[in-house]
Coordinates of all heavy atoms in Angstrom, one line a residue:
Chain A
S8 N -81.5 2.7 -34.6 CA -81.5 4.0 -35.3 C -82.3 3.8 -36.6 O -82.9 4.8 -37.1 CB -80.1 4.4 -35.6 OG -79.4 3.5 -36.4
N46 N -87.0 24.5 -38.4 CA -87.1 25.9 -38.1 C -86.8 26.3 -36.7 O -86.3 27.3 -36.4 CB -88.5 26.4 -38.5 CG -88.7 26.6 -40.0 OD1 -87.7 26.9 -40.7 ND2 -89.8 26.3 -40.5
C92 N -64.5 5.9 -70.3 CA -64.1 4.8 -71.2 C -64.8 5.1 -72.5 O -66.0 5.3 -72.6 CB -64.5 3.5 -70.7 SG -64.3 2.1 -71.9
H229 N -61.8 38.2 -29.4 CA -63.2 38.4 -29.3 C -63.5 39.2 -28.1 O -63.1 38.9 -27.0 CB -63.9 37.0 -29.2 CG -65.4 37.1 -29.4 ND1 -66.2 37.6 -28.5 CD2 -66.2 36.7 -30.4 CE1 -67.5 37.6 -28.9 NE2 -67.5 37.0 -30.1
A236 N -64.5 31.7 -21.8 CA -63.2 31.2 -21.6 C -63.1 30.0 -20.8 O -62.2 29.2 -20.9 CB -62.3 32.3 -21.0
R241 N -63.7 19.5 -25.9 CA -62.8 18.3 -26.1 C -62.2 18.3 -27.5 O -62.9 18.5 -28.5 CB -63.7 17.0 -26.0 CG -64.2 16.8 -24.5 CD -65.5 16.0 -24.4 NE -65.8 15.1 -25.5 CZ -65.4 13.8 -25.6 NH1 -64.7 13.3 -24.6 NH2 -65.7 13.1 -26.7
I255 N -58.1 12.4 -26.9 CA -58.9 13.6 -26.8 C -58.4 14.4 -25.6 O -58.2 13.9 -24.5 CB -60.4 13.3 -26.5 CG1 -61.0 12.4 -27.6 CG2 -61.2 14.6 -26.3 CD1 -61.1 13.1 -29.0
E293 N -70.4 14.6 -23.8 CA -69.4 13.5 -24.2 C -69.6 13.1 -25.6 O -68.7 12.5 -26.2 CB -69.6 12.2 -23.4 CG -70.0 12.4 -21.9 CD -71.5 12.7 -21.7 OE1 -72.3 11.8 -22.0 OE2 -71.8 13.8 -21.3
T312 N -58.6 24.6 -39.5 CA -60.1 24.2 -39.4 C -60.3 23.2 -38.3 O -59.5 22.3 -38.1 CB -60.5 23.6 -40.7 OG1 -60.4 24.5 -41.8 CG2 -62.0 23.2 -40.6
H341 N -61.5 38.4 -54.1 CA -62.6 39.1 -54.7 C -62.1 40.5 -55.0 O -62.5 41.1 -56.0 CB -63.8 39.2 -53.7 CG -64.6 37.9 -53.7 ND1 -65.1 37.4 -54.9 CD2 -64.9 37.0 -52.7 CE1 -65.7 36.2 -54.6 NE2 -65.6 36.0 -53.3
V353 N -58.4 51.2 -40.2 CA -58.6 51.0 -38.8 C -57.7 51.9 -37.9 O -56.6 52.3 -38.3 CB -58.3 49.5 -38.4 CG1 -59.4 48.6 -38.9 CG2 -56.9 49.1 -38.8
Q497 N -88.9 26.9 -17.1 CA -88.9 27.9 -16.1 C -89.5 27.6 -14.8 O -89.4 28.2 -13.8 CB -89.5 29.2 -16.7 CG -88.7 29.9 -17.8 CD -89.5 30.7 -18.7 OE1 -90.7 30.7 -18.8 NE2 -88.8 31.5 -19.5

Side-chain angles (χ1 to χ4, degrees):
Chain A
S8 62
N46 282 326
C92 172
H229 193 289
R241 291 155 26 89
I255 303 293
E293 321 80 65
T312 300
H341 284 301
V353 290
Q497 289 158 346

